[in-house]
Amino acid sequence: MSVREAIGEKNFLLRRTPANPKYENVKAVVESGMTAEVARLMKRTGANTERHLGECFLRIRPKTLAEYILLLKRQEEAKSMGNSDGGFAHPMDEYRSPNARPPKEYLILDVRSEEDYRACHIEGSLHYPKRRLVHATNPFLPEMFEFKNKDNKCIVLYDLEEELTVGQSVGKILFEKGVDNLAVLTGGLREFVQDYASLIVGKCPVPIVPRDNRLLKRAEALAAARSETQRSMFTHKPKSLSNSLAKPRR
């Protein structure tokens, strides 16, 4: 009995793919996880706003708000310089529209008392007292209608502390009154002053602490909280089985 030979080449599946000279110098890269370069890239390209679980408003970073204020100041300086001597502050300003708007606009509202607002507030912010939400027939400022639920626009609320704005439900009440594009300044005025004191009108209400000292205090507080949590986990004594069995059943 004769064995029939297979059709085609026997070692067809073992044949190697011919190398492309275009990719001779390309080497394999091993993904080793988070590195310093990747962390910087993620921080630089990360979202400027975030929403916590169960909240109806966003949180905005002080850096994002400060960059917006500085952008408005540069535009005003460019307009004033262009009108005075006919020149431009930057080379590319000649090709930009004089009425060009930022990609996203913010309406900054200070919800503290009138005395605190006069003493110190963020440059360009408007006074919006909390009691207006409850006692006023029309709780909105005229400027708020230009930003209310508009694309690429956001209404930012801030108090001295972030917890005061969130705890007193200022953002929640405004959301219930029909304002969807709300944001709360992360850290409040206290955190904003630390890095952007030049954008404050009036005297700073809190002392300015260097960033290194602030980070050190935060690290110490976090370490203390972790140690307290671990201590409570090991020292907690559950109820004994005899006590649970001794309770009468209903």
Side-chain angles (χ1 to χ4, degrees):
M1 183 176 179
S2 61
V3 179
R4 298 180 59 182
E5 296 183 357
I7 301 175
E9 186 179 353
K10 295 182 179 180
N11 300 327
F12 176 77
L13 298 178
L14 301 179
R15 184 189 302 175
R16 299 189 61 180
T17 305
N20 191 338
K22 181 179 179 181
Y23 303 102
E24 288 181 356
N25 299 326
V26 178
K27 298 181 180 180
V29 178
V30 178
E31 181 62 42
S32 58
M34 180 66 69
T35 60
E37 184 178 357
V38 175
R40 286 194 296 267
L41 177 63
M42 292 179 63
K43 184 177 181 180
R44 186 169 58 253
T45 59
N48 295 325
T49 57
E50 60 179 0
R51 189 187 302 272
H52 290 190
L53 183 63
E55 291 182 346
C56 51
F57 49 84
L58 300 172
R59 306 290 181 104
I60 184 172
R61 300 176 181 176
K63 179 181 178 181
T64 306
L65 196 61
E67 290 177 351
Y68 171 73
I69 298 174
L70 292 174
L71 178 60
L72 294 182
K73 293 179 66 176
R74 286 197 299 267
Q75 290 181 350
E76 293 179 359
E77 292 176 359
K79 289 181 180 179
S80 61
M81 293 183 64
N83 295 333
S84 60
D85 56 0
F88 297 92
H90 301 280
M92 295 303 297
D93 289 346
E94 181 180 0
Y95 305 98
R96 296 172 183 169
S97 174
N99 299 324
R101 294 185 176 182
K104 191 164 187 177
E105 299 180 83
Y106 299 97
L107 177 64
I108 311 172
L109 300 181
D110 191 323
V111 299
R112 300 176 299 159
S113 63
E114 186 175 358
E115 293 77 10
D116 295 337
Y117 175 79
R118 291 179 178 178
C120 170
H121 61 271
I122 298 177
E123 184 175 348
S125 63
L126 302 178
H127 183 230
Y128 184 72
K130 306 171 189 175
R131 62 179 180 273
R132 181 163 184 162
L133 291 172
V134 182
H135 299 289
T137 306
N138 181 14
F140 300 126
L141 298 175
E143 294 81 1
M144 295 178 66
F145 290 100
E146 301 179 5
F147 284 78
K148 179 183 176 183
N149 303 336
K150 298 295 180 62
D151 294 337
N152 298 326
K153 292 187 178 183
C154 184
I155 299 176
V156 181
L157 308 173
Y158 78 88
D159 204 322
L160 181 61
E161 301 283 353
E162 178 185 358
E163 291 76 11
L164 294 176
T165 312
V166 179
Q168 297 179 1
S169 304
V170 180
K172 183 179 179 181
I173 296 175
L174 276 177
F175 178 79
E176 293 174 351
K177 293 183 179 297
V179 183
D180 298 335
N181 53 341
L182 288 172
V184 173
L185 181 61
T186 302
L189 183 61
R190 181 184 297 275
E191 188 70 20
F192 187 88
V193 166
Q194 303 301 324
D195 295 326
Y196 307 101
S198 60
L199 300 179
I200 297 296
V201 178
K203 185 178 179 181
C204 297
V206 294
I208 299 178
V209 182
R211 174 174 289 273
D212 296 339
N213 296 343
R214 281 185 285 143
L215 294 178
L216 181 60
K217 289 182 179 180
R218 290 181 183 177
E220 292 176 353
L222 182 60
R226 288 178 178 175
S227 61
E228 182 66 24
T229 303
Q230 294 177 357
R231 190 182 304 110
S232 61
M233 290 175 58
F234 288 108
T235 57
H236 175 68
K237 296 181 180 180
K239 295 181 179 180
S240 61
L241 182 61
S242 59
N243 293 339
S244 61
L245 295 177
K247 294 181 180 180
R249 295 183 179 180
R250 295 182 179 179

